Amino acid sequence: MQKPLLFILISWMMISCHSNQSGTTVKADSVDSLEGNGNDSENLIDSMEVANAGKWIFDQRTNANTGEPDRLAFVVSGQKLYFRKHYEGGSTLSLNIRCVNGKTDAYLMIHKGEFELEDQPLRIRFGSGEPLEFRMRRSEEGYHMVYLERPEAVIKELLNSSTFEVDAPFYLEGRMKCVFQTDKFLWDQ
C-alpha cells in the first residue's frame, strides 16, 4: 500500500545527503531510519501521518553536487478525501515546497488518487482571500503529483495566511476541496 509521506520522503532522500536544520516545527531527522526494512518504513510513515497531519515538516540537506543547501517544507492535510471509486479508506493530500539546485517548486501530491489535468485549473484560497486560479502540470512521476505555476507567489501567500484551501479536479471524481493549516509555515527567500 502506498503511503503519502513515503513518496515525499524517498524523493527527498534521493537528492540529499544529511539533515542539518534545527529550530523547525517538526524536523525530518527521523527520516534517516527509512533506510531499514520496508515494514519499519511503513510503520514510521503511518505514525508520522497521524502525529503530524496539519503540521509543517521542514528539512534542509546539503546538496552532494553543489555543496549548497536544498530545502523542503511540506504539510499533510488533516482532512481526508473520499473518492467514490477505486480508493478505499480515504486519500490524503500534501502541499510541498522545495528548493533544489536553486530552483523552487510548489506541488501537490495525492495519496491514492490522480489529478485531472484537462484544461482545469486549481482554485486556491489563501486565508479569507478570494480564490485564485493556478495552472498545474503533471510531474514525471505520474498524475498523483502536480506542480503549481508561480511557486514564489504561492510561498508569499503562505507566509501571510493561516489556511490554504485547494479546490482541485480529480480523475473520475470531479472537483473536491481540501483545507490545510498553514500558520506555522517558514521559508527564507
Side-chain angles (χ1 to χ4, degrees):
M1 177 190 276
Q2 295 176 334
K3 301 294 179 191
L5 296 178
L6 187 58
F7 290 122
I8 298 165
L9 299 175
I10 287 175
S11 65
W12 183 245
M13 287 171 31
M14 289 172 29
I15 62 169
S16 56
C17 291
H18 67 278
S19 177
N20 59 6
Q21 181 168 337
S22 62
T24 56
T25 302
V26 176
K27 280 183 63 179
D29 289 339
S30 61
V31 170
D32 293 339
S33 63
L34 287 175
E35 295 170 3
N37 136 349
N39 291 334
D40 292 340
S41 299
E42 286 190 14
N43 292 337
L44 176 61
I45 295 300
D46 285 340
S47 64
M48 285 182 72
E49 181 181 348
V50 171
N52 295 318
K55 295 180 185 176
W56 282 98
I57 296 177
F58 298 90
D59 197 22
Q60 181 169 308
R61 312 259 174 144
T62 302
N63 185 304
N65 297 323
T66 66
E68 296 293 316
D70 289 338
R71 296 178 296 155
L72 171 72
F74 69 93
V75 63
V76 176
S77 175
Q79 171 189 347
K80 288 200 177 217
L81 299 176
Y82 291 93
F83 297 133
R84 293 177 297 231
K85 301 175 184 172
H86 306 296
Y87 307 108
E88 294 179 16
S91 296
T92 54
L93 189 64
S94 66
L95 168 62
N96 309 266
I97 308 293
R98 73 174 176 199
C99 182
V100 176
N101 292 328
K103 182 178 185 269
T104 302
D105 292 306
Y107 58 96
L108 294 170
M109 188 177 297
I110 185 74
H111 166 238
K112 297 193 305 186
E114 294 181 354
F115 290 95
E116 176 65 60
L117 298 176
E118 304 249 346
D119 299 322
Q120 295 190 51
L122 287 170
R123 293 186 199 116
I124 299 174
R125 179 188 313 267
F126 297 94
S128 60
E130 291 296 316
L132 304 173
E133 288 193 352
F134 285 80
R135 287 188 316 223
M136 57 185 167
R137 66 180 166 80
R138 180 179 74 93
S139 77
E140 294 176 4
E141 287 84 18
Y143 288 96
H144 69 281
M145 182 174 161
V146 292
Y147 290 97
L148 306 179
E149 68 176 350
R150 304 185 324 261
E152 291 80 10
V154 172
I155 291 169
K156 181 180 176 185
E157 292 290 341
L158 285 172
L159 289 168
N160 297 309
S161 303
S162 60
T163 59
F164 172 91
E165 177 184 281
V166 61
D167 178 2
F170 293 98
Y171 181 68
L172 298 177
E173 298 294 334
R175 298 189 80 86
M176 298 181 88
K177 291 183 181 180
C178 193
V179 178
F180 295 85
Q181 295 300 316
T182 58
D183 57 341
K184 303 286 186 193
F185 178 68
L186 305 170
W187 194 262
D188 295 327
Q189 299 289 0

